[in-house]
Amino acid sequence: MKEQMYEIKNINSFELKDIFDCGQCFRWNKQEDGSYEGVFKRNVLNVRKEGNTVIFKGVCDGNIEEVVKDYFDLNRDYEKIKNNLSKIDDNMKKSIQYGKGIRILNQDLWETIISFIISANNNIPRIKGIIERLSENYGEEIDYNGKKYYMFPTPENLKDVSVERYRELGLGFRDIRLYETTKMILENKVNLEELEKNPNTMEVRESLLTLSGVGPKVADCILLFSSLKRFEVFPIDVWVRRVMNDLYIKNEDETKVSKKQIEKIAKEKFGNLAGLAQQYLFYWRREA
DNA sequence: ATCCAGGGCGGGT
DNA sequence: ACCCGCCCTGGA
């Protein structure tokens, strides 16, 4: 494949650190020169920012401009969204100022499902390690700049991989979950293309919940961070529980705050932008 | 050493 | 409906 380049001048709501470190993705890594490099679908990309210009460079499956516009959600008006959310209260305003460059990536549904199954009760360095080993072992190779990169394995790539093999790759107790979910998708027990087409978020959520290793939190992450792009969901993890309790609930023991309670407040305050609000709050509370 | 990290599952009430 | 213990692994 031939190297392509694409640049956007005077871009807003686009900060590399905010996008790649806000917890939505696992295959982007910061380089020595401050740029980020990542593999998604059949693309290998390097992204860097100089002033208000973003430069994308790499090998793409198709036209780089189209690939980038789709993946980085460039047709959505984040300035408008941020303005609306900022009006809600000072907490939102502050968290948005902190994560002003966040964009929700349009990630492959299958990859997002598997990645967040792996994320369960796990830490980020280890999650990234597991995903890299899966890709190196079972993903298709792409050569770029004299280096080898590996696509995330497809369901077919994982067809004959055993539970034991997953355990060897360091998945721990998630081995069986990955095995079973892959099998269910290969057997079309859950049809990913149908999910993409279904506008009813709750139906899609129910369907995701039938997959092994997918509970409420993982399902919501998949709905928000994959190409399903449902911004009304509100994934609740320990950090979100923490920040929601600090700001709005103020219970002495945050672990005692129920999910329902948090969901109710999120819906009342943030409505159909709850997912975005969650992301700003999460990133702010974890990093700041 | 003990704990915990972006939960889910299965088996209790 | 809630609640609880348990689940691999590795880094602090």
Side-chain angles (χ1 to χ4, degrees), chain A residues 24 73 76-78 81 85 103-106 201 220 223-235 270-280:
Chain A
Q24 60 178 325
D73 203 22
R76 195 182 309 271
D77 189 350
Y78 279 78
I81 291 173
L85 283 173
R103 272 174 185 275
I104 304 297
L105 299 169
N106 210 342
T201 298
D220 286 342
L223 285 163
L224 179 58
F225 298 139
S226 76
S227 50
L228 293 173
K229 277 279 183 304
R230 305 303 162 95
F231 282 7
E232 70 269 36
V233 302
F234 194 78
F270 312 129
N272 61 2
L273 289 176
L276 256 301
Q278 184 268 6
Q279 206 50 22
Y280 291 115

PDB file of all heavy atoms in Angstrom, chain A residues 24 73 76-78 81 85 103-106 201 220 223-235 270-280:
ATOM      1  N   GLN A  24     -11.027   5.605  25.557  1.00  0.00           N
ATOM      2  CA  GLN A  24     -11.929   4.955  24.609  1.00  0.00           C
ATOM      3  C   GLN A  24     -11.231   3.929  23.722  1.00  0.00           C
ATOM      4  O   GLN A  24     -11.889   3.090  23.124  1.00  0.00           O
ATOM      5  CB  GLN A  24     -12.579   6.012  23.720  1.00  0.00           C
ATOM      6  CG  GLN A  24     -11.584   6.825  22.914  1.00  0.00           C
ATOM      7  CD  GLN A  24     -12.257   7.835  22.006  1.00  0.00           C
ATOM      8  OE1 GLN A  24     -13.324   7.579  21.474  1.00  0.00           O
ATOM      9  NE2 GLN A  24     -11.647   8.997  21.842  1.00  0.00           N
ATOM     10  N   ASP A  73     -14.618  11.210  13.587  1.00  0.00           N
ATOM     11  CA  ASP A  73     -15.922  11.832  13.826  1.00  0.00           C
ATOM     12  C   ASP A  73     -15.910  13.314  13.457  1.00  0.00           C
ATOM     13  O   ASP A  73     -16.449  14.157  14.185  1.00  0.00           O
ATOM     14  CB  ASP A  73     -16.301  11.660  15.311  1.00  0.00           C
ATOM     15  CG  ASP A  73     -17.805  11.747  15.529  1.00  0.00           C
ATOM     16  OD1 ASP A  73     -18.565  11.520  14.566  1.00  0.00           O
ATOM     17  OD2 ASP A  73     -18.218  12.045  16.670  1.00  0.00           O
ATOM     18  N   ARG A  76     -19.045  15.886  13.072  1.00  0.00           N
ATOM     19  CA  ARG A  76     -19.881  16.271  14.201  1.00  0.00           C
ATOM     20  C   ARG A  76     -19.376  17.596  14.776  1.00  0.00           C
ATOM     21  O   ARG A  76     -18.181  17.824  14.878  1.00  0.00           O
ATOM     22  CB  ARG A  76     -19.856  15.192  15.282  1.00  0.00           C
ATOM     23  CG  ARG A  76     -20.962  15.350  16.311  1.00  0.00           C
ATOM     24  CD  ARG A  76     -20.848  14.286  17.387  1.00  0.00           C
ATOM     25  NE  ARG A  76     -20.737  12.946  16.838  1.00  0.00           N
ATOM     26  CZ  ARG A  76     -21.780  12.171  16.560  1.00  0.00           C
ATOM     27  NH1 ARG A  76     -23.000  12.588  16.810  1.00  0.00           N
ATOM     28  NH2 ARG A  76     -21.609  10.974  16.050  1.00  0.00           N
ATOM     29  N   ASP A  77     -20.308  18.444  15.165  1.00  0.00           N
ATOM     30  CA  ASP A  77     -19.952  19.772  15.688  1.00  0.00           C
ATOM     31  C   ASP A  77     -19.737  19.715  17.196  1.00  0.00           C
ATOM     32  O   ASP A  77     -20.660  19.919  17.985  1.00  0.00           O
ATOM     33  CB  ASP A  77     -21.068  20.771  15.339  1.00  0.00           C
ATOM     34  CG  ASP A  77     -20.655  22.200  15.671  1.00  0.00           C
ATOM     35  OD1 ASP A  77     -19.616  22.387  16.336  1.00  0.00           O
ATOM     36  OD2 ASP A  77     -21.374  23.128  15.256  1.00  0.00           O
ATOM     37  N   TYR A  78     -18.494  19.424  17.584  1.00  0.00           N
ATOM     38  CA  TYR A  78     -18.198  19.302  19.010  1.00  0.00           C
ATOM     39  C   TYR A  78     -18.257  20.649  19.736  1.00  0.00           C
ATOM     40  O   TYR A  78     -18.544  20.705  20.925  1.00  0.00           O
ATOM     41  CB  TYR A  78     -16.828  18.639  19.223  1.00  0.00           C
ATOM     42  CG  TYR A  78     -16.883  17.134  19.101  1.00  0.00           C
ATOM     43  CD1 TYR A  78     -16.936  16.518  17.850  1.00  0.00           C
ATOM     44  CD2 TYR A  78     -16.923  16.323  20.225  1.00  0.00           C
ATOM     45  CE1 TYR A  78     -17.011  15.136  17.733  1.00  0.00           C
ATOM     46  CE2 TYR A  78     -16.991  14.940  20.113  1.00  0.00           C
ATOM     47  CZ  TYR A  78     -17.036  14.358  18.876  1.00  0.00           C
ATOM     48  OH  TYR A  78     -17.126  12.991  18.759  1.00  0.00           O
ATOM     49  N   ILE A  81     -21.799  20.993  20.784  1.00  0.00           N
ATOM     50  CA  ILE A  81     -22.090  20.061  21.868  1.00  0.00           C
ATOM     51  C   ILE A  81     -21.501  20.569  23.184  1.00  0.00           C
ATOM     52  O   ILE A  81     -22.160  20.567  24.229  1.00  0.00           O
ATOM     53  CB  ILE A  81     -21.510  18.663  21.544  1.00  0.00           C
ATOM     54  CG1 ILE A  81     -22.279  18.026  20.378  1.00  0.00           C
ATOM     55  CG2 ILE A  81     -21.548  17.761  22.769  1.00  0.00           C
ATOM     56  CD1 ILE A  81     -21.677  16.735  19.877  1.00  0.00           C
ATOM     57  N   LEU A  85     -23.460  21.489  26.666  1.00  0.00           N
ATOM     58  CA  LEU A  85     -23.156  20.817  27.928  1.00  0.00           C
ATOM     59  C   LEU A  85     -22.624  21.799  28.976  1.00  0.00           C
ATOM     60  O   LEU A  85     -22.918  21.671  30.163  1.00  0.00           O
ATOM     61  CB  LEU A  85     -22.138  19.693  27.705  1.00  0.00           C
ATOM     62  CG  LEU A  85     -22.656  18.391  27.078  1.00  0.00           C
ATOM     63  CD1 LEU A  85     -21.499  17.446  26.777  1.00  0.00           C
ATOM     64  CD2 LEU A  85     -23.666  17.702  27.994  1.00  0.00           C
ATOM     65  N   ARG A 103     -12.619  13.721  21.128  1.00  0.00           N
ATOM     66  CA  ARG A 103     -13.547  13.289  20.088  1.00  0.00           C
ATOM     67  C   ARG A 103     -13.803  11.812  20.278  1.00  0.00           C
ATOM     68  O   ARG A 103     -12.901  11.075  20.658  1.00  0.00           O
ATOM     69  CB  ARG A 103     -12.952  13.498  18.690  1.00  0.00           C
ATOM     70  CG  ARG A 103     -13.225  14.849  18.161  1.00  0.00           C
ATOM     71  CD  ARG A 103     -12.532  15.120  16.854  1.00  0.00           C
ATOM     72  NE  ARG A 103     -12.794  16.496  16.528  1.00  0.00           N
ATOM     73  CZ  ARG A 103     -13.885  16.911  15.904  1.00  0.00           C
ATOM     74  NH1 ARG A 103     -14.773  16.031  15.460  1.00  0.00           N
ATOM     75  NH2 ARG A 103     -14.103  18.181  15.697  1.00  0.00           N
ATOM     76  N   ILE A 104     -15.018  11.390  20.037  1.00  0.00           N
ATOM     77  CA  ILE A 104     -15.346   9.975  20.180  1.00  0.00           C
ATOM     78  C   ILE A 104     -15.074   9.278  18.858  1.00  0.00           C
ATOM     79  O   ILE A 104     -15.688   9.596  17.837  1.00  0.00           O
ATOM     80  CB  ILE A 104     -16.816   9.785  20.595  1.00  0.00           C
ATOM     81  CG1 ILE A 104     -17.112  10.554  21.888  1.00  0.00           C
ATOM     82  CG2 ILE A 104     -17.118   8.303  20.795  1.00  0.00           C
ATOM     83  CD1 ILE A 104     -16.344  10.106  23.094  1.00  0.00           C
ATOM     84  N   LEU A 105     -14.132   8.359  18.897  1.00  0.00           N
ATOM     85  CA  LEU A 105     -13.709   7.672  17.675  1.00  0.00           C
ATOM     86  C   LEU A 105     -14.775   6.709  17.169  1.00  0.00           C
ATOM     87  O   LEU A 105     -15.545   6.142  17.943  1.00  0.00           O
ATOM     88  CB  LEU A 105     -12.410   6.904  17.941  1.00  0.00           C
ATOM     89  CG  LEU A 105     -11.207   7.749  18.363  1.00  0.00           C
ATOM     90  CD1 LEU A 105     -10.073   6.853  18.853  1.00  0.00           C
ATOM     91  CD2 LEU A 105     -10.751   8.636  17.214  1.00  0.00           C
ATOM     92  N   ASN A 106     -14.762   6.543  15.860  1.00  0.00           N
ATOM     93  CA  ASN A 106     -15.695   5.623  15.218  1.00  0.00           C
ATOM     94  C   ASN A 106     -15.018   4.273  15.062  1.00  0.00           C
ATOM     95  O   ASN A 106     -14.514   3.934  13.995  1.00  0.00           O
ATOM     96  CB  ASN A 106     -16.048   6.200  13.849  1.00  0.00           C
ATOM     97  CG  ASN A 106     -17.439   5.812  13.434  1.00  0.00           C
ATOM     98  OD1 ASN A 106     -18.017   4.873  13.972  1.00  0.00           O
ATOM     99  ND2 ASN A 106     -17.978   6.528  12.475  1.00  0.00           N
ATOM    100  N   THR A 201     -31.789   1.729  20.578  1.00  0.00           N
ATOM    101  CA  THR A 201     -30.610   1.526  21.424  1.00  0.00           C
ATOM    102  C   THR A 201     -30.828   0.429  22.465  1.00  0.00           C
ATOM    103  O   THR A 201     -29.938  -0.391  22.711  1.00  0.00           O
ATOM    104  CB  THR A 201     -30.227   2.838  22.122  1.00  0.00           C
ATOM    105  OG1 THR A 201     -29.894   3.801  21.115  1.00  0.00           O
ATOM    106  CG2 THR A 201     -29.035   2.650  23.037  1.00  0.00           C
ATOM    107  N   ASP A 220     -22.449  -0.604  27.538  1.00  0.00           N
ATOM    108  CA  ASP A 220     -22.545   0.844  27.332  1.00  0.00           C
ATOM    109  C   ASP A 220     -21.286   1.408  26.671  1.00  0.00           C
ATOM    110  O   ASP A 220     -21.364   2.308  25.846  1.00  0.00           O
ATOM    111  CB  ASP A 220     -22.816   1.555  28.662  1.00  0.00           C
ATOM    112  CG  ASP A 220     -24.258   1.345  29.123  1.00  0.00           C
ATOM    113  OD1 ASP A 220     -25.103   0.972  28.287  1.00  0.00           O
ATOM    114  OD2 ASP A 220     -24.537   1.554  30.317  1.00  0.00           O
ATOM    115  N   LEU A 223     -21.602   0.594  23.055  1.00  0.00           N
ATOM    116  CA  LEU A 223     -22.591   1.473  22.410  1.00  0.00           C
ATOM    117  C   LEU A 223     -22.027   2.862  22.146  1.00  0.00           C
ATOM    118  O   LEU A 223     -22.316   3.490  21.135  1.00  0.00           O
ATOM    119  CB  LEU A 223     -23.840   1.588  23.292  1.00  0.00           C
ATOM    120  CG  LEU A 223     -24.755   0.362  23.297  1.00  0.00           C
ATOM    121  CD1 LEU A 223     -25.703   0.399  24.489  1.00  0.00           C
ATOM    122  CD2 LEU A 223     -25.535   0.269  22.000  1.00  0.00           C
ATOM    123  N   LEU A 224     -21.195   3.343  23.071  1.00  0.00           N
ATOM    124  CA  LEU A 224     -20.674   4.705  22.958  1.00  0.00           C
ATOM    125  C   LEU A 224     -19.417   4.806  22.096  1.00  0.00           C
ATOM    126  O   LEU A 224     -19.271   5.732  21.303  1.00  0.00           O
ATOM    127  CB  LEU A 224     -20.389   5.233  24.370  1.00  0.00           C
ATOM    128  CG  LEU A 224     -19.818   6.638  24.516  1.00  0.00           C
ATOM    129  CD1 LEU A 224     -20.716   7.679  23.874  1.00  0.00           C
ATOM    130  CD2 LEU A 224     -19.603   6.966  25.995  1.00  0.00           C
ATOM    131  N   PHE A 225     -18.518   3.843  22.234  1.00  0.00           N
ATOM    132  CA  PHE A 225     -17.198   3.970  21.613  1.00  0.00           C
ATOM    133  C   PHE A 225     -17.050   3.277  20.267  1.00  0.00           C
ATOM    134  O   PHE A 225     -16.026   3.422  19.614  1.00  0.00           O
ATOM    135  CB  PHE A 225     -16.121   3.448  22.566  1.00  0.00           C
ATOM    136  CG  PHE A 225     -16.037   4.209  23.859  1.00  0.00           C
ATOM    137  CD1 PHE A 225     -15.842   3.557  25.066  1.00  0.00           C
ATOM    138  CD2 PHE A 225     -16.151   5.593  23.862  1.00  0.00           C
ATOM    139  CE1 PHE A 225     -15.759   4.264  26.257  1.00  0.00           C
ATOM    140  CE2 PHE A 225     -16.069   6.312  25.041  1.00  0.00           C
ATOM    141  CZ  PHE A 225     -15.877   5.640  26.243  1.00  0.00           C
ATOM    142  N   SER A 226     -18.016   2.504  19.863  1.00  0.00           N
ATOM    143  CA  SER A 226     -17.921   1.823  18.568  1.00  0.00           C
ATOM    144  C   SER A 226     -18.702   2.612  17.528  1.00  0.00           C
ATOM    145  O   SER A 226     -19.247   3.679  17.811  1.00  0.00           O
ATOM    146  CB  SER A 226     -18.524   0.429  18.668  1.00  0.00           C
ATOM    147  OG  SER A 226     -19.934   0.527  18.681  1.00  0.00           O
ATOM    148  N   SER A 227     -18.761   2.072  16.336  1.00  0.00           N
ATOM    149  CA  SER A 227     -19.517   2.706  15.260  1.00  0.00           C
ATOM    150  C   SER A 227     -21.012   2.738  15.555  1.00  0.00           C
ATOM    151  O   SER A 227     -21.777   3.356  14.825  1.00  0.00           O
ATOM    152  CB  SER A 227     -19.262   1.964  13.943  1.00  0.00           C
ATOM    153  OG  SER A 227     -19.441   0.578  14.129  1.00  0.00           O
ATOM    154  N   LEU A 228     -21.448   2.103  16.641  1.00  0.00           N
ATOM    155  CA  LEU A 228     -22.864   2.205  17.023  1.00  0.00           C
ATOM    156  C   LEU A 228     -23.198   3.640  17.425  1.00  0.00           C
ATOM    157  O   LEU A 228     -24.313   4.100  17.228  1.00  0.00           O
ATOM    158  CB  LEU A 228     -23.175   1.262  18.191  1.00  0.00           C
ATOM    159  CG  LEU A 228     -23.093  -0.231  17.864  1.00  0.00           C
ATOM    160  CD1 LEU A 228     -23.250  -1.064  19.113  1.00  0.00           C
ATOM    161  CD2 LEU A 228     -24.142  -0.616  16.837  1.00  0.00           C
ATOM    162  N   LYS A 229     -22.200   4.327  18.060  1.00  0.00           N
ATOM    163  CA  LYS A 229     -22.312   5.761  18.304  1.00  0.00           C
ATOM    164  C   LYS A 229     -23.613   6.178  18.985  1.00  0.00           C
ATOM    165  O   LYS A 229     -24.335   7.039  18.489  1.00  0.00           O
ATOM    166  CB  LYS A 229     -22.212   6.525  16.971  1.00  0.00           C
ATOM    167  CG  LYS A 229     -20.811   6.784  16.494  1.00  0.00           C
ATOM    168  CD  LYS A 229     -20.253   7.993  17.232  1.00  0.00           C
ATOM    169  CE  LYS A 229     -18.888   8.370  16.758  1.00  0.00           C
ATOM    170  NZ  LYS A 229     -17.935   7.274  16.837  1.00  0.00           N
ATOM    171  N   ARG A 230     -23.901   5.588  20.138  1.00  0.00           N
ATOM    172  CA  ARG A 230     -25.097   5.993  20.875  1.00  0.00           C
ATOM    173  C   ARG A 230     -24.661   6.895  22.017  1.00  0.00           C
ATOM    174  O   ARG A 230     -24.126   6.423  23.015  1.00  0.00           O
ATOM    175  CB  ARG A 230     -25.849   4.765  21.406  1.00  0.00           C
ATOM    176  CG  ARG A 230     -26.197   3.752  20.337  1.00  0.00           C
ATOM    177  CD  ARG A 230     -27.018   4.339  19.205  1.00  0.00           C
ATOM    178  NE  ARG A 230     -26.975   3.480  18.038  1.00  0.00           N
ATOM    179  CZ  ARG A 230     -27.902   2.568  17.754  1.00  0.00           C
ATOM    180  NH1 ARG A 230     -28.931   2.409  18.530  1.00  0.00           N
ATOM    181  NH2 ARG A 230     -27.772   1.827  16.671  1.00  0.00           N
ATOM    182  N   PHE A 231     -24.895   8.190  21.854  1.00  0.00           N
ATOM    183  CA  PHE A 231     -24.405   9.165  22.830  1.00  0.00           C
ATOM    184  C   PHE A 231     -25.320   9.302  24.049  1.00  0.00           C
ATOM    185  O   PHE A 231     -25.010  10.047  24.962  1.00  0.00           O
ATOM    186  CB  PHE A 231     -24.226  10.530  22.163  1.00  0.00           C
ATOM    187  CG  PHE A 231     -22.980  10.628  21.332  1.00  0.00           C
ATOM    188  CD1 PHE A 231     -22.194   9.509  21.098  1.00  0.00           C
ATOM    189  CD2 PHE A 231     -22.584  11.823  20.780  1.00  0.00           C
ATOM    190  CE1 PHE A 231     -21.035   9.581  20.330  1.00  0.00           C
ATOM    191  CE2 PHE A 231     -21.423  11.926  20.014  1.00  0.00           C
ATOM    192  CZ  PHE A 231     -20.651  10.793  19.792  1.00  0.00           C
ATOM    193  N   GLU A 232     -26.427   8.605  24.047  1.00  0.00           N
ATOM    194  CA  GLU A 232     -27.331   8.741  25.193  1.00  0.00           C
ATOM    195  C   GLU A 232     -27.006   7.768  26.320  1.00  0.00           C
ATOM    196  O   GLU A 232     -27.549   7.904  27.417  1.00  0.00           O
ATOM    197  CB  GLU A 232     -28.780   8.564  24.742  1.00  0.00           C
ATOM    198  CG  GLU A 232     -29.176   7.150  24.337  1.00  0.00           C
ATOM    199  CD  GLU A 232     -28.978   6.886  22.846  1.00  0.00           C
ATOM    200  OE1 GLU A 232     -28.005   7.411  22.274  1.00  0.00           O
ATOM    201  OE2 GLU A 232     -29.784   6.129  22.269  1.00  0.00           O
ATOM    202  N   VAL A 233     -26.131   6.793  26.093  1.00  0.00           N
ATOM    203  CA  VAL A 233     -25.810   5.848  27.168  1.00  0.00           C
ATOM    204  C   VAL A 233     -24.796   6.463  28.127  1.00  0.00           C
ATOM    205  O   VAL A 233     -24.108   7.419  27.797  1.00  0.00           O
ATOM    206  CB  VAL A 233     -25.273   4.507  26.622  1.00  0.00           C
ATOM    207  CG1 VAL A 233     -26.276   3.876  25.686  1.00  0.00           C
ATOM    208  CG2 VAL A 233     -23.923   4.698  25.944  1.00  0.00           C
ATOM    209  N   PHE A 234     -24.719   5.884  29.314  1.00  0.00           N
ATOM    210  CA  PHE A 234     -23.877   6.458  30.360  1.00  0.00           C
ATOM    211  C   PHE A 234     -23.133   5.340  31.091  1.00  0.00           C
ATOM    212  O   PHE A 234     -23.605   4.846  32.123  1.00  0.00           O
ATOM    213  CB  PHE A 234     -24.773   7.250  31.324  1.00  0.00           C
ATOM    214  CG  PHE A 234     -24.028   8.169  32.249  1.00  0.00           C
ATOM    215  CD1 PHE A 234     -23.541   9.389  31.797  1.00  0.00           C
ATOM    216  CD2 PHE A 234     -23.817   7.818  33.580  1.00  0.00           C
ATOM    217  CE1 PHE A 234     -22.868  10.249  32.657  1.00  0.00           C
ATOM    218  CE2 PHE A 234     -23.148   8.678  34.448  1.00  0.00           C
ATOM    219  CZ  PHE A 234     -22.668   9.898  33.985  1.00  0.00           C
ATOM    220  N   PRO A 235     -21.984   4.921  30.550  1.00  0.00           N
ATOM    221  CA  PRO A 235     -21.236   3.825  31.184  1.00  0.00           C
ATOM    222  C   PRO A 235     -20.786   4.217  32.592  1.00  0.00           C
ATOM    223  O   PRO A 235     -20.210   5.284  32.785  1.00  0.00           O
ATOM    224  CB  PRO A 235     -20.010   3.645  30.270  1.00  0.00           C
ATOM    225  CG  PRO A 235     -20.352   4.330  28.989  1.00  0.00           C
ATOM    226  CD  PRO A 235     -21.304   5.426  29.351  1.00  0.00           C
ATOM    227  N   PHE A 270     -28.071  15.392  31.705  1.00  0.00           N
ATOM    228  CA  PHE A 270     -27.358  15.387  30.427  1.00  0.00           C
ATOM    229  C   PHE A 270     -28.190  14.907  29.240  1.00  0.00           C
ATOM    230  O   PHE A 270     -27.793  15.094  28.084  1.00  0.00           O
ATOM    231  CB  PHE A 270     -26.084  14.544  30.528  1.00  0.00           C
ATOM    232  CG  PHE A 270     -25.251  14.843  31.739  1.00  0.00           C
ATOM    233  CD1 PHE A 270     -24.824  13.827  32.587  1.00  0.00           C
ATOM    234  CD2 PHE A 270     -24.899  16.157  32.041  1.00  0.00           C
ATOM    235  CE1 PHE A 270     -24.056  14.105  33.711  1.00  0.00           C
ATOM    236  CE2 PHE A 270     -24.127  16.436  33.164  1.00  0.00           C
ATOM    237  CZ  PHE A 270     -23.717  15.414  34.001  1.00  0.00           C
ATOM    238  N   GLY A 271     -29.311  14.243  29.509  1.00  0.00           N
ATOM    239  CA  GLY A 271     -30.202  13.797  28.442  1.00  0.00           C
ATOM    240  C   GLY A 271     -29.508  12.959  27.387  1.00  0.00           C
ATOM    241  O   GLY A 271     -28.765  12.033  27.716  1.00  0.00           O
ATOM    242  N   ASN A 272     -29.735  13.305  26.132  1.00  0.00           N
ATOM    243  CA  ASN A 272     -29.205  12.468  25.057  1.00  0.00           C
ATOM    244  C   ASN A 272     -27.720  12.732  24.762  1.00  0.00           C
ATOM    245  O   ASN A 272     -27.169  12.168  23.827  1.00  0.00           O
ATOM    246  CB  ASN A 272     -30.046  12.625  23.782  1.00  0.00           C
ATOM    247  CG  ASN A 272     -30.035  14.056  23.278  1.00  0.00           C
ATOM    248  OD1 ASN A 272     -29.373  14.922  23.845  1.00  0.00           O
ATOM    249  ND2 ASN A 272     -30.760  14.307  22.210  1.00  0.00           N
ATOM    250  N   LEU A 273     -27.093  13.560  25.596  1.00  0.00           N
ATOM    251  CA  LEU A 273     -25.648  13.755  25.466  1.00  0.00           C
ATOM    252  C   LEU A 273     -24.900  13.151  26.657  1.00  0.00           C
ATOM    253  O   LEU A 273     -23.738  13.479  26.913  1.00  0.00           O
ATOM    254  CB  LEU A 273     -25.313  15.239  25.336  1.00  0.00           C
ATOM    255  CG  LEU A 273     -25.706  15.891  24.008  1.00  0.00           C
ATOM    256  CD1 LEU A 273     -25.403  17.375  24.044  1.00  0.00           C
ATOM    257  CD2 LEU A 273     -24.976  15.229  22.840  1.00  0.00           C
ATOM    258  N   ALA A 274     -25.592  12.264  27.382  1.00  0.00           N
ATOM    259  CA  ALA A 274     -25.022  11.698  28.609  1.00  0.00           C
ATOM    260  C   ALA A 274     -23.664  11.039  28.361  1.00  0.00           C
ATOM    261  O   ALA A 274     -22.748  11.168  29.174  1.00  0.00           O
ATOM    262  CB  ALA A 274     -25.989  10.690  29.220  1.00  0.00           C
ATOM    263  N   GLY A 275     -23.530  10.354  27.244  1.00  0.00           N
ATOM    264  CA  GLY A 275     -22.287   9.655  26.935  1.00  0.00           C
ATOM    265  C   GLY A 275     -21.106  10.601  26.828  1.00  0.00           C
ATOM    266  O   GLY A 275     -20.020  10.326  27.349  1.00  0.00           O
ATOM    267  N   LEU A 276     -21.331  11.719  26.154  1.00  0.00           N
ATOM    268  CA  LEU A 276     -20.276  12.729  26.032  1.00  0.00           C
ATOM    269  C   LEU A 276     -19.942  13.307  27.397  1.00  0.00           C
ATOM    270  O   LEU A 276     -18.773  13.442  27.760  1.00  0.00           O
ATOM    271  CB  LEU A 276     -20.738  13.855  25.101  1.00  0.00           C
ATOM    272  CG  LEU A 276     -20.187  13.899  23.687  1.00  0.00           C
ATOM    273  CD1 LEU A 276     -18.663  14.000  23.728  1.00  0.00           C
ATOM    274  CD2 LEU A 276     -20.580  12.660  22.925  1.00  0.00           C
ATOM    275  N   ALA A 277     -20.984  13.644  28.151  1.00  0.00           N
ATOM    276  CA  ALA A 277     -20.784  14.187  29.491  1.00  0.00           C
ATOM    277  C   ALA A 277     -19.971  13.210  30.329  1.00  0.00           C
ATOM    278  O   ALA A 277     -19.030  13.600  31.026  1.00  0.00           O
ATOM    279  CB  ALA A 277     -22.136  14.452  30.145  1.00  0.00           C
ATOM    280  N   GLN A 278     -20.316  11.950  30.236  1.00  0.00           N
ATOM    281  CA  GLN A 278     -19.591  10.914  30.967  1.00  0.00           C
ATOM    282  C   GLN A 278     -18.112  10.960  30.626  1.00  0.00           C
ATOM    283  O   GLN A 278     -17.246  10.857  31.484  1.00  0.00           O
ATOM    284  CB  GLN A 278     -20.178   9.533  30.616  1.00  0.00           C
ATOM    285  CG  GLN A 278     -19.587   8.375  31.386  1.00  0.00           C
ATOM    286  CD  GLN A 278     -18.409   7.722  30.658  1.00  0.00           C
ATOM    287  OE1 GLN A 278     -17.943   8.184  29.635  1.00  0.00           O
ATOM    288  NE2 GLN A 278     -17.922   6.649  31.228  1.00  0.00           N
ATOM    289  N   GLN A 279     -17.817  11.109  29.347  1.00  0.00           N
ATOM    290  CA  GLN A 279     -16.436  11.071  28.897  1.00  0.00           C
ATOM    291  C   GLN A 279     -15.626  12.254  29.433  1.00  0.00           C
ATOM    292  O   GLN A 279     -14.507  12.101  29.879  1.00  0.00           O
ATOM    293  CB  GLN A 279     -16.404  11.023  27.363  1.00  0.00           C
ATOM    294  CG  GLN A 279     -15.167  10.392  26.798  1.00  0.00           C
ATOM    295  CD  GLN A 279     -14.846   9.052  27.420  1.00  0.00           C
ATOM    296  OE1 GLN A 279     -15.704   8.377  27.972  1.00  0.00           O
ATOM    297  NE2 GLN A 279     -13.592   8.663  27.393  1.00  0.00           N
ATOM    298  N   TYR A 280     -16.221  13.443  29.389  1.00  0.00           N
ATOM    299  CA  TYR A 280     -15.537  14.611  29.940  1.00  0.00           C
ATOM    300  C   TYR A 280     -15.318  14.437  31.433  1.00  0.00           C
ATOM    301  O   TYR A 280     -14.234  14.718  31.948  1.00  0.00           O
ATOM    302  CB  TYR A 280     -16.339  15.890  29.671  1.00  0.00           C
ATOM    303  CG  TYR A 280     -16.382  16.284  28.215  1.00  0.00           C
ATOM    304  CD1 TYR A 280     -17.567  16.283  27.498  1.00  0.00           C
ATOM    305  CD2 TYR A 280     -15.215  16.660  27.547  1.00  0.00           C
ATOM    306  CE1 TYR A 280     -17.613  16.636  26.156  1.00  0.00           C
ATOM    307  CE2 TYR A 280     -15.244  17.017  26.209  1.00  0.00           C
ATOM    308  CZ  TYR A 280     -16.451  16.998  25.515  1.00  0.00           C
ATOM    309  OH  TYR A 280     -16.482  17.340  24.196  1.00  0.00           O
TER     310      TYR A 280
END
